[in-house]
């Protein structure tokens, strides 16, 4: 059968906001000005850190070489934001905008041919005020963050400011910056490299990132439907409409869907991303009569890398500059966000003189461990989705075949293990390691809101029916260290989530991770020891 | 990992296994064996026992 070739159209491009370059005081100043924190790069990780520090009263300078958000306009980037990120956005004050604009989801279905072979509902295990996931185009999130930062009026965002060179000195770094009105240099007590996967700062330092590139090839098609399909995440291990290869179907704001097609490893990137070729592929999936227009098309191969250390002298690496993993399970952008959430309070307390300088090293300890874990998890997904040999295909075939009828085999289906708040390994700062606390409501507030009040401080939760004796014993600590103690009813949802015995004290860090759990909340000396360790003040106390 | 002989009917198991493979070409026989491994693995509680069995299977063999 022959038919006239269908023509496909593109949606009008998004109009993204632009912000003006303003000449900073450094231009024309006789001497270099020193700032406490300078962040290079206004992507997710950089903007989150600038916003978080600002809300902690620390004024950061953020240098961005562009004057807008997003990369290549409305192109592909992150789309899927995990609960731990959303809880942070609640504390930063942009959650309502994200909820209103984004798409909330919790159900994921994995298909083989026409059969469902795996299903999850992440809402089942959540007690948080925020849902497990919201999908939203990355540029919207960056847009909301910029407007929040400008509204707060603390951080100094410098648009059209390109970093030319960085030099690590003993107690600061020197940064050379190029602007439309000339060059200048500034000094940073702490320099944060958030310039992304191809970081020129990291590259100029000659740091090994242990990069590897996959042969697996994909093509993203972002598509707007007149009448969108069901609101659920779907993945196909082997889609009949894609020559038996994998397909991702994910929704975003504005009725735009991301359809991501696994291609043959030897496919030509240019031809597989031609609108007529992509359109024919979509038509095979959707059938005739479904009206759509393209928003963006892009072929890609994924890669990964990991820095040996996320700190080099006075320079700290966050987000893609430090680590890149295969794009499965939303473990890219969310971990850049969590890098900054981990770093922000530590820098703030060290700069305020309330924590020991060694606390900054806990950033590398904890976030590099998270990156190692994410690299392992995503590499396993990549291997499931792109078996390397006939025998690997055979094992996957056995799993998929059994999964049609056997629940146990479904657990082996791995089309992406969704991003979680990584637990942190034991450390000098947290003897038992640190695990995340969800943003659970309690006592007229929530964990995130309570952490957002009163400056950067820990939250000591006394889980007891009668918390008065413990609160009285602990009260003197509030004057010495950045901590506030609150009672939690042992029958409340928060106590059930914390899962500690009655009478315990749970010491929650400013990033909503448990620094320590102490069995007897009335033991103020034990609480003081745990706080000193968590604040890296042990050397001083000894 | 147990390596002592404790199967009550070793010959019966061997025969049933061969019967399941009978008449299959090498590809389909290998597919069945892969499904069999998954089903048997699900009978084992301990992850360490599974890893020990994988290592032992990789270590042994005469060709």
């Amino acid at each position: 059968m022959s038919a006239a070739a269908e023509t496909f159209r593109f949606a009008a491009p998004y109009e993204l906001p632009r912000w003006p370059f303003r000449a900073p005081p450094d231009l024309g100043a006789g001497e270099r000005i020193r700032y406490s924190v300078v962040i290079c790069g206004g992507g997710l990780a950089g903007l989150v850190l600038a916003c978080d520090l600002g809300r902690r009263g620390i004024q950061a300078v953020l240098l961005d070489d562009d004057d807008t958000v997003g990369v290549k306009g409305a192109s592909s980037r992150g789309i899927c934001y995990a609960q731990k990120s959303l809880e942070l956005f609640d504390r930063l004050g942009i959650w309502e905008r994200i909820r209103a604009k984004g798409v909330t989801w919790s159900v994921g279905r994995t298909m083989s041919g026409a059969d469902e072979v795996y299903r999850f509902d992440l809402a089942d295990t959540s007690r948080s005020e925020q849902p497990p996931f919201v999908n939203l185009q990355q540029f919207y999130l960056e847009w909301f963050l910029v407007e929040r930062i400008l509204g707060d009026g603390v951080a100094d965002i410098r648009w059209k400011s390109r970093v030319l060179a960085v030099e690590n000195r003993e107690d600061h770094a020197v940064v050379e910056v190029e602007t439309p009105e000339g060059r200048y240099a500034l000094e940073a007590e702490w320099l944060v490299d958030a310039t992304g996967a191809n970081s020129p700062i990291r590259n100029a330092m000659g740091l090994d990132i242990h990069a590897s590139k996959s042969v697996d090839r994909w093509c993203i098609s972002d598509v707007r439907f007149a009448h969108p399909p069901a609101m659920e995440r779907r993945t196909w291990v082997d889609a009949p409409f894609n020559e038996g290869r994998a397909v991702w179907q994910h929704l975003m704001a504005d009725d735009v869907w991301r359809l991501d097609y696994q291609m043959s490893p030897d496919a030509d990137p240019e031809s597989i991303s031609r609108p007529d070729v992509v359109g024919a592929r979509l038509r095979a999936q959707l059938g005739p009569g479904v009206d759509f227009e393209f928003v963006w098309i892009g072929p890609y191969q994924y890669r990964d890398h990991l820095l040996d250390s996320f700190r080099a002298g006075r320079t700290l690496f966050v987000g893609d500059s430090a680590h890149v993993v295969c794009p499965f399970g939303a473990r890219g952008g969310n971990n850049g966000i969590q890098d900054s959430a981990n770093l922000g309070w530590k820098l703030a307390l060290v700069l305020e003189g309330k924590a020991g300088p060694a606390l900054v090293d806990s950033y590398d300890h904890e976030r590099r461990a998270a990156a190692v874990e994410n690299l392992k998890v995503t590499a396993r997904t990549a291997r499931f989705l792109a078996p390397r040999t006939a025998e690997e295909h055979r094992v996957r075939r056995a799993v998929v075949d059994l999964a049609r009828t056997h629940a146990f085999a479904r657990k082996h289906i791995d089309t992406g293990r969704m991003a979680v708040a990584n637990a942190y390994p034991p450390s000098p700062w947290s003897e038992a390691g640190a695990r995340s606390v969800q943003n659970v409501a309690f006592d007229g507030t929530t964990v995130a809101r309570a952490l957002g009040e009163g400056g950067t401080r820990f939250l000591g939760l006394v889980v007891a029916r009668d918390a008065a004796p413990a609160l009285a014993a602990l009260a003197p600590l509030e004057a010495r260290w950045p901590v506030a103690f609150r009672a939690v009813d042992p029958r409340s949802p928060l106590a059930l989530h914390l899962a500690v015995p009655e009478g315990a004290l749970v010491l929650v860090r400013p990033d909503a991770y448990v620094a320590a759990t102490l069995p007897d909340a009335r033991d103020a000396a034990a609480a003081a020891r745990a706080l000193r360790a968590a604040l890296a003040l042990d050397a001083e106390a000894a | 990992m147990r390596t002592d002989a404790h199967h009550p009917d070793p010959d019966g198991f061997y025969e049933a296994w061969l019967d399941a493979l009978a008449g299959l070409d090498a590809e389909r026989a290998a597919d069945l064996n892969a499904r069999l491994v998954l089903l048997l693995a699900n009978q084992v509680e301990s992850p360490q026992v599974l890893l020990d069995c994988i290592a032992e299977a990789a270590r042994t063999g005469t060709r």
Side-chain angles (χ1 to χ4, degrees):
Chain A
M1 190 180 76
S2 75
E6 188 176 356
T7 54
F8 301 98
R9 64 184 188 281
F10 273 81
Y14 274 96
E15 286 196 19
L16 297 172
R18 292 190 177 279
W19 292 279
F21 168 77
R22 289 203 175 85
D26 311 67
L27 270 173
E31 291 184 346
R32 289 197 296 257
I33 302 175
R34 184 175 292 195
Y35 300 91
S36 48
V37 181
V38 175
I39 301 162
C40 304
L44 276 182
L47 289 169
V48 164
L49 185 60
C51 187
D52 183 53
L53 284 171
R55 305 216 123 204
R56 300 186 183 287
I58 304 289
Q59 185 186 26
V61 172
L62 189 150
L63 304 167
D64 191 79
D65 60 3
D66 206 354
D67 64 354
T68 183
V69 288
V71 179
K72 297 179 211 153
S75 83
S76 149
R77 297 296 276 184
I79 56 166
C80 190
Y81 299 96
Q83 186 168 74
K84 186 72 179 170
S85 301
L86 301 175
E87 292 170 340
L88 170 67
F89 297 140
D90 190 18
R91 182 163 59 71
L92 298 181
I94 58 171
W95 159 241
E96 279 307 320
R97 291 191 78 181
I98 292 167
R99 189 192 55 74
K101 187 72 191 170
V103 177
T104 298
W105 66 276
S106 66
V107 173
R109 298 176 72 198
T110 298
M111 320 294 288
S112 175
D115 300 332
E116 179 185 295
V117 290
Y118 180 67
R119 179 192 186 92
F120 59 75
D121 187 347
L122 296 158
D124 293 348
T125 55
S126 173
R127 291 183 190 274
S128 174
E129 295 285 292
Q130 275 67 45
F133 283 95
V134 168
N135 279 16
L136 182 67
Q137 291 87 328
Q138 179 170 336
F139 63 83
Y140 276 124
L141 190 48
E142 294 175 351
W143 189 340
F144 299 162
L145 280 164
V146 170
E147 290 189 349
R148 175 85 264 173
I149 292 168
L150 296 177
D152 287 344
V154 182
D156 175 6
I157 306 184
R158 300 182 180 182
W159 305 106
K160 292 277 181 200
S161 300
R162 196 164 68 90
V163 174
L164 293 176
V166 162
E167 189 192 332
N168 265 320
R169 302 253 175 107
E170 177 73 24
D171 64 347
H172 68 282
V174 179
V175 186
E176 279 193 61
V177 188
E178 184 179 58
T179 77
E181 293 184 22
R183 294 178 178 192
Y184 65 91
L186 52 70
E187 295 182 0
E189 278 186 66
W190 295 101
L191 179 69
V192 180
D193 175 15
T195 55
N198 301 314
S199 166
I201 296 171
R202 181 201 64 211
N203 290 346
M205 289 184 185
L207 300 171
D208 193 353
I209 56 169
H210 310 283
S212 72
K213 190 171 185 177
S214 163
V215 296
D216 199 13
R217 197 176 280 285
W218 292 70
C219 182
I220 284 179
S221 327
D222 287 346
V223 174
R224 180 178 286 125
F225 289 98
H227 302 285
M231 304 266 261
E232 58 186 17
R233 175 189 194 262
R234 275 198 199 187
T235 58
W236 281 262
V237 178
D238 45 8
F241 48 82
N242 189 36
E243 298 174 353
R245 281 188 285 271
V247 175
W248 257 231
Q249 175 180 299
H250 239 308
L251 59 176
M252 298 187 277
D254 307 330
D255 292 332
V256 176
W257 284 66
R258 168 155 300 170
L259 300 164
D260 197 358
Y261 297 89
Q262 188 180 36
M263 298 279 109
S264 160
D266 55 9
D268 168 44
E270 224 165 281
S271 65
I272 58 169
S273 56
R274 276 201 339 252
D276 59 314
V277 175
V278 178
R281 203 154 54 218
L282 266 161
R283 198 45 84 205
Q285 174 177 357
L286 303 167
V290 178
D291 195 24
F292 64 85
E293 57 186 7
F294 290 122
V295 175
W296 191 77
I297 298 173
Y300 70 101
Q301 275 176 292
Y302 46 81
R303 55 180 183 169
D304 58 62
H305 70 230
L306 178 65
L307 266 175
D308 290 321
S309 172
F310 290 4
R311 175 178 177 182
R314 283 293 173 137
T315 303
L316 297 151
F317 302 90
V318 297
D320 287 354
S321 160
H323 51 79
V324 168
V325 301
C326 314
F328 301 117
R331 287 172 185 259
N334 284 296
N335 280 286
I337 291 165
Q338 288 312 314
D339 286 349
S340 291
N342 185 286
L343 183 57
W345 68 274
K346 294 174 179 175
L347 284 179
L349 287 178
V350 169
L351 287 164
E352 288 172 356
K354 294 175 181 170
L359 186 60
V360 177
D361 289 319
S362 71
Y363 164 70
D364 169 65
H365 179 86
E366 295 181 338
R367 292 308 304 169
R368 190 171 186 283
V372 167
E373 172 74 12
N374 291 321
L375 202 55
K376 183 180 83 177
V377 170
T378 54
R380 286 173 168 176
T381 302
R383 202 168 177 188
F384 184 88
L385 288 171
R388 296 167 192 170
T389 63
E391 286 308 317
E392 291 195 9
H393 271 288
R394 186 187 313 287
V395 172
R396 189 178 82 172
R397 192 159 57 240
V399 166
V400 173
D401 282 350
L402 280 175
R404 290 176 209 282
T405 45
H406 291 74
F408 85 85
R410 297 180 165 213
K411 302 285 183 194
H412 296 296
I413 303 261
D414 183 359
T415 55
R417 302 296 184 214
M418 298 310 292
V420 295
N422 296 79
Y424 299 140
S427 70
W429 309 279
S430 211
E431 207 173 53
R435 67 183 165 95
S436 174
V437 179
Q438 290 183 7
N439 185 24
V440 184
F442 77 105
D443 202 9
T445 183
T446 74
V447 172
R449 260 167 262 157
L451 286 168
E453 293 158 4
T456 301
R457 61 184 187 185
F458 284 60
L459 194 56
L461 299 174
V462 177
V463 182
R465 254 168 251 252
D466 177 16
L471 290 173
L474 294 165
L477 275 58
E478 293 186 344
R480 290 190 63 188
W481 294 295
V483 62
F485 295 95
R486 300 278 297 255
V488 174
D489 187 315
R491 294 152 299 186
S492 67
L494 178 55
L496 294 174
H497 173 59
L498 293 170
V500 294
E502 180 157 4
L505 171 68
V506 181
L507 209 48
V508 182
R509 313 191 316 192
D511 58 354
Y513 269 81
V514 174
T517 299
L518 303 168
D520 183 359
R522 294 164 304 181
D523 185 350
R529 275 195 301 277
L531 263 174
R532 282 202 311 269
L535 291 163
L537 292 170
D538 272 351
E540 178 198 271
Chain B
M1 177 177 65
R2 287 185 73 168
T3 54
D4 61 316
H6 68 98
H7 201 288
D9 182 14
D11 296 340
F13 164 67
Y14 190 92
E15 182 181 36
W17 189 5
L18 294 195
D19 285 349
L21 295 171
L24 299 182
D25 63 27
E27 274 295 303
R28 279 169 184 75
D31 282 350
L32 185 149
N33 282 336
R35 292 195 297 276
L36 181 59
V37 167
L38 280 167
L39 285 159
L40 292 175
N42 193 49
Q43 313 307 312
V44 179
E45 295 275 320
S46 158
Q48 190 56 50
V49 167
L50 285 177
L51 295 182
D52 290 348
C53 290
I54 291 171
E56 193 60 13
R59 193 183 66 79
T60 51
T62 54
R63 59 167 197 158

